[in-house]
């Protein structure tokens, strides 16, 4: 039986949002799953839209092997590409698709990566401090902890983890590593807990959560990659094509909101009676603000608790 951690988040809503674009494209429909993982969303696309092709992108070769095996039954309708998703234009072109009908971003760390203790993503298990989504990446979480100076480490924790006690944690890390370098997660969890005042530990779950998020984002350059990937995904969309984004923290959602606002807003002066075609927005919003999961979905799949869903449709060519 599939564990809750492997249930695709917001699956029904994602299918509902993408269906008009995919069904209208018919035999030309191409869906890009930029965060393939174990292939849960991609399987649903292939089963729900029997005339569509699906291109799955992932930087993790282990995830790609599993997804290929799980989706082999769909034959040539499914293509997997080992790439970082800001390379979407190249991946789509190499798959022979001039444009695509739909794109999904399911951001953050995958359930498989959380479940594999030796990857070091989960603060609840003692594991090597790795956190690379692609094991060939040059920097690990241990490298960040052991090599960054206190100022840079505090910046990472403050900006990427939105950690109020970033300076205190960073200073304590620098002192502790002089005695012994950081290699595993349990020691870091203990240090973070000791660095945060007791009153601040009473709410918000594990106090190490924000530090682990910050390290993961830094190691994988996640936000800068996403800032390049989202515009690239919008560019490969056909007219009437749609992009859906599932984000799990405010940093990702802020990037999505800002980009979607930019492409759905006219560049003409507000008082202009007739807006020239080249100043009209090329996209329209499909969601009002950021949608959240229902209580029923959160109960069935706890990972959905923090999801924010946003979507746009392309209404005009470039």
């Amino acid at each position: 039986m599939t564990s809750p951690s492997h249930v695709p988040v917001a699956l029904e809503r994602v299918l509902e949002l993408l269906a008009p674009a995919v069904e209208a494209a018919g035999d030309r429909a191409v869906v890009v799953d930029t965060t393939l993982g174990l292939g849960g969303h991609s399987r649903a696309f292939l089963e729900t839209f029997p005339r569509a092709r699906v291109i799955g992108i992932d930087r993790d070769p282990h995830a790609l092997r599993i997804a290929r095996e799980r989706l082999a039954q769909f034959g040539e309708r499914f293509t997997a590409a080992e790439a970082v998703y800001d390379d979407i234009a190249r991946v789509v072109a190499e798959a022979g698709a001039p444009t695509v009908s739909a794109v999904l971003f399911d951001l953050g760390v995958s359930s498989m990566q959380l479940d594999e203790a030796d990857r070091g993503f989960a603060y609840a298990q003692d594991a090597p401090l790795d956190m690379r989504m692609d094991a060939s990446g040059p920097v690990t979480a241990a490298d960040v902890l052991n090599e960054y100076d206190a100022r840079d480490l505090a910046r990472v924790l403050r900006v990427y983890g939105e950690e109020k006690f970033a300076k205190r944690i960073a200073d304590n890390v620098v002192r502790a590593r002089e005695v012994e370098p950081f290699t595993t997660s349990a020691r870091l969890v203990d240090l973070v807990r000791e660095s945060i005042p007791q009153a601040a530990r009473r709410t918000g779950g594990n106090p190490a959560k924000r530090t682990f998020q910050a390290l993961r984002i830094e190691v994988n350059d996640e936000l800068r990659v996403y800032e390049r990937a989202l515009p690239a995904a919008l560019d490969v969309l056909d007219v009437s094509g749609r992009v859906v984004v599932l984000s799990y923290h405010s940093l990702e959602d802020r990037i999505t909101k800002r980009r979607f606002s930019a492409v759905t807003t006219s560049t003409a002066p507000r008082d202009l009676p007739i807006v020239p075609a080249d100043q009209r927005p090329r996209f329209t919003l499909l969601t009002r603000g950021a949608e959240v999961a229902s209580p029923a979905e959160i109960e069935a799949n706890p990972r959905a608790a923090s999801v924010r869903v946003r979507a746009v449709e392309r209404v005009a060519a470039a």
Side-chain angles (χ1 to χ4, degrees), residues 112-180:
M112 182 196 72
Q113 290 162 339
L114 286 172
D115 289 348
E116 292 186 335
D118 60 354
R119 303 292 291 275
F121 287 101
Y123 44 79
Q125 311 174 72
D126 190 23
L129 282 162
D130 192 316
M131 299 194 195
R132 291 173 297 176
M133 292 182 179
D134 172 2
S136 67
V139 178
T140 68
D143 294 332
V144 175
L145 290 166
N146 293 321
E147 297 174 11
Y148 282 30
D149 63 28
R151 182 176 179 180
D152 283 343
L153 184 55
R155 172 189 56 79
V156 168
L157 301 182
R158 183 177 61 255
V159 175
Y160 294 158
E162 300 179 293
E163 174 56 72
K164 295 178 182 178
F165 304 99
K167 185 178 185 304
R168 184 181 299 185
I169 295 169
D171 288 343
N172 288 343
V173 166
V174 170
R175 278 193 291 269
R177 77 191 188 194
E178 291 176 357
V179 177
E180 181 184 354

Side-chain angles (χ1 to χ4, degrees), residues 22-30 45-46 48-53 77:
V22 179
E23 291 169 353
D27 292 337
R28 298 182 299 104
V30 177
F45 298 151
L46 291 159
T48 305
F49 311 122
R51 299 167 68 188
R53 290 176 56 204
R77 290 182 54 218

